[in-house]
Amino acid sequence: VTWTPRATSQSWYAIASSADGTKLAAAVSGGQIYTSTPSATWAYDPTQLWHNYAAPKFAWTAPADTGNPDASGVWEYYAKLTTDPNYTPTSSDATTNNYLVASGLTDGQTYYLRISAVDNAGNVAAPVTLLTYKYDNVAPTAPLSISVNTLEYSANPVTVNWSGATDADSGIDHYIYQKYAGDTWTTIASSPATGIVGQEGQNTFSVEAVDKAGNVSAPKTINYYYTTNAPGAPPNLQVDAQSKTENNFTFTWDAPPVNGVTNSPIAGYYYSVNTLPLPGSVTQVTGSQPTGNTTGVIHAATKQGVNTFYVVAYDSSNPARVNYSNYSLIQFEVNTTATAPHAPQTVTISDVSDLRKPEFGLALAWKAPDNYDANTFGHYIIRETTASNLTDAQWQALAPVGTASTPAYAEADLTKGTTYYYRVSAVDNAGAESPLSSVASLTPTGKYITPPTMVSGPGATATATSATITWSTDRSSYSMVEYGKDSSYGLQNSSLQTATSHSVTLYGLDPGTVYHYRVQSLDPSDLKDYDDSLAYSGDQTFSTQPAPGISDVKISDITLSSAIVSWKTTSSSISTIKYGKTSSYGSELTDSSGSAVTTHTVRIPNLQDSSTYHFKIYGTDTDGNVMQSDDYSFDTLTFPKISNIKYEELSGNNAGLKVTWDSNVPTTSTVVYNGPGGSQEVSKADLVLQHEIITPHLADNSNYTISVTGRDAYGNEAVPNSQAYKTAFDTTPPVISGITTETSISGFGTEAKSQIIVSWNTDEPATSQVEYAKGVSGDTYGMSTKEDDSLATSHVVVISDLDPSSSYYFRVVSKDASKNEAKSDENSALTEQAQSSIFDLVLKSFESTLGWLFGG
C-alpha cells in the first residue's frame, strides 16, 4: 500500500499487513505549562489544578509511533483545551506544533487538555487528557476585620487576628503579612499572627489573602505600637495593712525615675490583682499624676487568703507607652468569711426562649440577701438537669454555670423540652460564699417574641374589580389584609392556612380606584408572645384598572383540543390572546382580522383534553391606547374513560353475560365479544355514567375477548378496554316444553301396528329420546327409543310397533352438550284401532246375509 507523504521532506512506502497492530499505541504522556514563553515554565503538578495565567502555553514531548517496523512517525496532533472532559479532538483542532497556546479563558471554569497524536499515515491515537487546568483570575476579598491585642505602646510582642477573606473560585490557600512597611512578607496558613515585634514607635501591620491560583487580595492593615523606652517599675509599693477581715485596701507607690531624654513624664498607672498585668487585664488608676500614686480604698482581694497586687507605669506619649513586664508587686491577705452574705431568697424563673432564632433560654430573678452590698457582693448560679437525685453536698460541689453582679441571671443555648433546675448563692468579691437558695426549675418551650419578618413585598396585582396581595415571611404564618379607600381601611380578607408565601385576593373592587391596604402576618396563638399590632406592615396603595375596553368575551365550540374565543373592543384594535394552564399563560395568538375591527374571533388549537385553561386578551387601538381583559378560564372536554368493569354470568340457560362499567362522562354503551362464534356486538344508545349490557348466551367453558367502549355526546370514543374472559361450565339441564303427540296406524286386522309421534322443545340444544311402557300409568319404563345424539332445540321421536287400541305412558329425555339430563313428567297416549282387511269385510257381509250357511 502506498500513500502520498504529508511532509514534503519525507517520502516512503510501507507494506500493510492484517496484523499491523495499533499504529500509535502510545499517545501523549507528560507535559509542561508555559505562562507565555518557554523560559517561564513550571512542571505539571496534578494536585495543583488552579492557575491564574490568562494565556498559558502547554507543551508536550512527542510520542513514539509504535506498530509495524516501518511506522511512519508522528506528523501532527489534534489538540484542544476544552471544558468537556470527554471531548474527542478532530482535524479542525490539528497542529504540527508540540504546544498549544490558550486564550479567552473564563474565570472559575475547569479545562481539559485533550490530545490525540496523528502519524504520517493518518492513524489517529485514542484521545487522552494530558492535564487539567482550572482558571481563576479574580483576586480574593481582603479580610473584613482585623484586630490587635493592644492599642497601646508595648515592649511585648503583639498578636494580630483577622477574618472574613473569601474567594468564590479556587478558595483561600494562605495569607501573607508584613509586620511594618518595608519588612519582608511572611506566609501563614491562617489567623492569628503571634509574636509580632515592630520597630520603635508606630507600626503598620498588613495582611493579604492568597487563593489557590496565586491571586492576591488587597491588603488589610492595622496600626500597633512598640517601644523599648517605656517607664520602669514603680518603686516603694506599699499596702495599708497586710491582713484584714474586710476587703478594703489602699495601695501606694512612688513614680519611677525618668531614664534619659527618651522618656516622657509619667502619665499614669495600671494595676491588676492575682494576674500578671497584660493588655485588657488591667485597671487604670484614677487621680492626678504624678502625685496621685495611690489606688485609694478599693475592694482589691479576689479570693480568701493571700492575694497579689501588681502595678505598672505609662508615660505621656500618645498613645501611652507601657512595658507590662516592668511591674512592682506586693502580697496581702483577707478573710471575710465571718461577714459572708446570707442565702438569696425567693428565686423565680421564666421562659425567655425565642423560636425565631431558634434559641431556648431561661431567666432567673431572686431577692437579694438581707446583708447584700451591691459594691462587694456577686452571685453564683448552679444548674443541673437531675436535681431530684442530688444532695445538698452534691449541689455545693458543682461548678457554677454563671455569675451575676445583680439579683438576676439569664441563660441561652438550652435544649428545648429539657427541665433545668437552678440554685443561687451570694458571694463577696473575696470569694466568701453564702448557703444555696431553694431550687427553681422550668422547661423551656419557647414562643416567638416578635412577629414574622417580611422578607419581600407586600405587592399588589390589580384588575378592574379585584387585586391579589402577595408577600413572603421568614416563617410560616397566617395571612390577613386590611383594605379600603383610605388609610382607615374598614374591610379585610384573610387566609386560615399558614404559609411563608402569602397570597390574599380582594374581590368586588371599583374600577379605576385607589385603595389603601396593609398586611398582617401572625403566628398561631400558642407560638406567639407579642402584641398583634406589631405584625402590621406599613400603609400601601394600589389602583384598580379602568373599566375594561374589552367586553362580551365568549367561549364556544370547546372540544378535546380546541376552543373558540370571541370578544368585542370599544374601538378598532389589534388584539392578542395569551393563554395557558396557569395565569402565567405562556402561549399567545394574534387576531389576524387586522386593526380595523371591533369584533374578534380566535380559535385556540392544540389544547390538552380534560384541562383548565386561563386566558387574557390584550388590545391596542389605532391611537396606541392599551387595553386588557380580566383573566378568564375554560375547561376542555373531558376525554371519556372507562373504569370499574365487572362481569356476571346470569343464572339459567341462555341467560347470557351481564357486563357493567362506569365512565367519567355520559357515553353510549357498547360490548364487543369475540369467541367461538366469531365477533359480535351489543350496544345501547343512551348517554349514561353507569352502564349495563347483557349479551346473548355464550358458549360454556369457552375463552372470549370482551371489549367495552362508548362515545360521549360529542362523538369522542373512549379507549376500548379489552379483557380476556372464560365462561363457566354448564351445570343446568335443558328445560323441556311443548310436548305434543300424534298417533298413526299401519296394516289391517291382526297385522296392524300403531305408532306415536312425540315432539317437544328445549331451551338449549340437546339430544332426543323417549322412554315408554304399555299401560295407563306406571313407575317404570321398560322400553325406550334409540337416543338421537344430534343437538337441537326442536325434537321429534317416533315410537313404532305399538299395539293398536292400546294405552301407553311415556316421558321425553334430553341431554345438553355438558351431559346435563332433563326428563319430562309422565305423559300418556292411546293408539288407534286397527282396520279390518277386505277378506274380513266380505266374509262379514256373507255372514249377515247367508247366516244359514255358517250355522247361524
Side-chain angles (χ1 to χ4, degrees):
V1 179
T2 64
W3 64 87
T4 302
R6 300 180 66 179
T8 56
S9 60
Q10 296 173 322
S11 177
W12 60 81
Y13 297 90
I15 303 299
S17 68
S18 60
D20 57 355
T22 302
K23 297 296 191 302
L24 194 57
V28 181
S29 61
Q32 292 179 315
I33 306 175
Y34 300 85
T35 58
S36 59
T37 63
S39 61
T41 180
W42 75 91
Y44 174 59
D45 180 358
T47 65
Q48 179 62 26
L49 302 180
W50 288 97
H51 307 282
N52 61 359
Y53 300 106
K57 178 180 179 182
F58 303 94
W60 56 85
T61 303
D65 184 9
T66 62
N68 62 59
D70 297 319
S72 60
V74 173
W75 158 248
E76 64 181 354
Y77 306 93
Y78 295 165
K80 185 177 181 65
L81 190 67
T82 173
T83 58
D84 181 1
N86 299 309
Y87 179 78
T88 299
T90 65
S91 58
S92 62
D93 307 313
T95 176
T96 57
N97 300 317
N98 68 333
Y99 62 86
L100 182 147
V101 178
S103 63
L105 303 184
T106 301
D107 176 67
Q109 188 63 263
T110 300
Y111 293 90
Y112 305 90
L113 181 56
R114 297 285 289 171
I115 188 167
S116 298
V118 186
D119 68 10
N120 280 279
N123 300 300
V124 182
V128 296
T129 298
L130 188 58
L131 52 81
T132 302
Y133 186 91
K134 292 189 174 184
Y135 182 56
D136 176 8
N137 71 336
V138 176
T141 65
L144 296 177
S145 63
I146 188 170
S147 62
V148 64
N149 65 327
T150 179
L151 297 178
E152 301 171 328
Y153 270 100
S154 175
N156 299 320
V158 299
T159 297
V160 183
N161 285 274
W162 61 88
S163 63
T166 59
D167 186 81
D169 296 326
S170 59
I172 301 297
D173 185 72
H174 63 275
Y175 298 87
I176 55 175
Y177 69 83
Q178 191 180 50
K179 292 180 288 186
Y180 47 84
D183 187 28
T184 58
W185 289 88
T186 301
T187 298
I188 188 171
S190 61
S191 172
T194 59
I196 303 302
V197 175
Q199 298 174 323
E200 181 71 30
Q202 176 178 301
N203 296 268
T204 299
F205 180 94
S206 299
V207 61
E208 298 174 349
V210 184
D211 66 19
K212 294 177 182 177
N215 300 299
V216 182
S217 76
K220 186 72 173 180
T221 63
I222 193 170
N223 292 332
Y224 68 98
Y225 303 89
Y226 180 75
T227 183
T228 57
N229 297 315
N236 196 25
L237 174 61
Q238 298 182 28
V239 62
D240 62 340
Q242 289 295 320
S243 179
K244 289 185 178 183
T245 59
E246 293 186 5
N247 191 10
N248 297 315
F249 293 88
T250 301
F251 299 88
T252 58
W253 57 85
D254 294 336
V258 175
N259 298 322
V261 296
T262 58
N263 281 2
S264 301
I266 300 301
Y269 301 92
Y270 296 129
Y271 73 86
S272 61
V273 178
N274 293 329
T275 180
L276 291 174
L278 291 172
S281 67
V282 293
T283 302
Q284 188 173 22
V285 177
T286 60
S288 60
Q289 303 299 330
T291 57
N293 300 340
T294 179
T295 60
V297 178
I298 60 173
H299 308 300
T302 61
K303 63 180 180 179
Q304 297 294 310
V306 177
N307 293 258
T308 303
F309 176 89
Y310 301 88
V311 64
V312 295
Y314 58 89
D315 67 17
S316 59
S317 297
N318 187 16
R321 288 187 295 192
V322 60
N323 185 344
Y324 288 103
S325 298
N326 293 342
Y327 58 79
S328 296
L329 65 86
I330 192 170
Q331 291 185 329
F332 60 99
E333 187 174 1
V334 69
N335 187 350
T336 63
T337 55
T339 58
H342 299 165
Q345 304 295 314
T346 318
V347 181
T348 61
I349 188 168
S350 58
D351 188 352
V352 294
S353 303
D354 185 354
L355 283 176
R356 176 188 290 275
K357 295 182 179 179
E359 182 178 277
F360 299 94
L362 297 171
L364 299 174
W366 56 89
K367 182 180 178 181
D370 52 14
N371 65 340
Y372 181 75
D373 182 347
N375 294 319
T376 61
F377 284 10
H379 305 86
Y380 289 155
I381 294 88
I382 303 172
R383 183 195 72 202
E384 247 304 317
T385 56
T386 57
S388 60
N389 300 325
L390 298 182
T391 65
D392 282 348
Q394 289 173 319
W395 270 104
Q396 292 168 347
L398 294 175
V401 295
T403 60
S405 59
T406 61
Y409 175 77
E411 188 172 22
D413 296 326
L414 302 181
T415 301
K416 180 180 181 181
T418 298
T419 300
Y420 293 89
Y421 302 84
Y422 292 88
R423 298 184 79 174
V424 182
S425 65
V427 60
D428 68 14
N429 52 14
E433 187 175 0
S434 75
L436 293 175
S437 71
S438 59
V439 177
S441 64
L442 193 63
T443 302
T445 56
K447 292 185 178 182
Y448 292 112
I449 60 175
T450 58
T453 298
M454 190 178 300
V455 296
S456 67
T461 303
T463 67
T465 59
S466 67
T468 299
I469 313 300
T470 58
W471 71 98
S472 60
T473 51
D474 62 343
R475 63 178 182 265
S476 187
S477 55
Y478 295 121
S479 314
M480 195 273 284
V481 176
E482 291 185 351
Y483 64 101
K485 293 182 180 180
D486 54 43
S487 58
S488 62
Y489 311 115
L491 300 172
Q492 72 174 38
N493 197 9
S494 60
S495 171
L496 296 180
Q497 301 296 322
T498 58
T500 56
S501 296
H502 305 264
S503 179
V504 176
T505 301
L506 315 178
Y507 296 99
L509 306 180
D510 295 335
T513 303
V514 175
Y515 281 86
H516 291 253
Y517 73 95
R518 64 178 180 177
V519 303
Q520 185 185 51
S521 305
L522 292 173
D523 296 293
S525 58
D526 61 336
L527 295 179
K528 70 182 181 71
D529 186 17
Y530 53 81
D531 191 323
D532 290 358
S533 64
L534 299 176
Y536 283 112
S537 71
D539 181 67
Q540 308 288 327
T541 62
F542 66 85
S543 297
T544 54
Q545 297 177 6
I550 297 171
S551 62
D552 200 19
V553 178
K554 295 180 180 178
I555 307 148
S556 61
D557 196 22
I558 300 174
T559 69
L560 291 172
S561 59
S562 65
I564 292 177
V565 178
S566 61
W567 65 94
K568 293 181 180 179
T569 51
T570 54
S571 60
S572 299
S573 68
I574 298 174
S575 295
T576 298
I577 181 169
K578 294 185 178 182
Y579 64 96
K581 289 187 176 182
T582 68
S583 56
S584 299
Y585 311 117
S587 301
E588 67 177 53
L589 290 170
T590 300
D591 177 18
S592 59
S593 303
S595 60
V597 296
T598 58
T599 301
H600 309 263
T601 302
V602 169
R603 180 179 178 273
I604 306 177
N606 304 321
L607 304 180
Q608 184 176 338
D609 64 87
S610 313
S611 299
T612 297
Y613 280 86
H614 292 256
F615 70 88
K616 179 179 281 191
I617 302 166
Y618 297 82
T620 304
D621 64 18
T622 53
D623 296 325
N625 298 312
V626 177
M627 62 187 77
Q628 67 180 32
S629 73
D630 288 339
D631 178 79
Y632 293 87
S633 64
F634 63 89
D635 295 329
T636 53
L637 294 183
T638 301
F639 194 87
K641 294 182 180 178
I642 290 170
S643 63
N644 197 27
I645 300 174
K646 296 180 180 179
Y647 303 96
E648 178 185 356
E649 289 193 49
L650 301 178
S651 60
N653 295 313
N654 292 321
L657 177 68
K658 181 168 76 173
V659 184
T660 61
W661 68 94
D662 298 330
S663 57
N664 59 336
V665 294
T667 68
T668 61
S669 309
T670 298
V671 171
V672 178
Y673 55 99
N674 193 351
S679 179
Q680 300 182 64
E681 178 180 311
V682 181
S683 298
K684 290 182 180 179
D686 298 338
L687 296 173
V688 295
L689 293 171
Q690 295 172 332
H691 305 260
E692 179 180 305
I693 289 286
I694 298 177
T695 70
H697 179 72
L698 304 182
D700 301 322
N701 191 30
S702 298
N703 293 314
Y704 284 84
T705 298
I706 299 177
S707 180
V708 176
T709 186
R711 292 183 182 274
D712 64 12
Y714 306 96
N716 302 306
E717 184 181 14
V719 176
N721 189 309
S722 297
Q723 298 183 21
Y725 185 82
K726 185 175 182 180
T727 55
F729 286 96
D730 183 11
T731 59
T732 304
V735 176
I736 297 171
S737 63
I739 300 175
T740 60
T741 59
E742 184 180 342
T743 61
S744 64
I745 195 167
S746 62
F748 299 94
T750 58
E751 298 298 325
K753 291 294 182 180
S754 291
Q755 62 182 11
I756 302 174
I757 302 170
V758 182
S759 60
W760 69 94
N761 297 320
T762 54
D763 64 342
E764 61 176 316
T767 61
S768 307
Q769 189 178 29
V770 177
E771 298 177 340
Y772 62 97
K774 192 173 183 178
V776 177
S777 178
D779 295 329
T780 60
Y781 301 85
M783 294 171 285
S784 64
T785 63
K786 182 179 180 182
E787 182 182 33
D788 182 355
D789 57 6
S790 59
L791 301 177
T793 56
S794 296
H795 308 265
V796 177
V797 172
V798 178
I799 308 174
S800 304
D801 295 329
L802 301 180
D803 295 333
S805 303
S806 299
S807 293
Y808 287 87
Y809 60 93
F810 67 91
R811 63 184 177 188
V812 300
V813 179
S814 289
K815 299 177 183 176
D816 61 18
S818 298
K819 303 303 181 184
N820 298 306
E821 184 179 67
K823 295 181 178 181
S824 71
D825 293 336
E826 180 183 284
N827 291 269
S828 62
L830 179 65
T831 58
E832 295 183 11
Q833 184 178 3
Q835 297 180 356
S836 300
S837 66
I838 297 296
F839 176 77
D840 289 338
L841 291 175
V842 172
L843 183 61
K844 188 173 183 179
S845 176
F846 283 162
E847 182 180 357
S848 63
T849 304
L850 302 174
W852 54 270
L853 183 62
F854 297 92

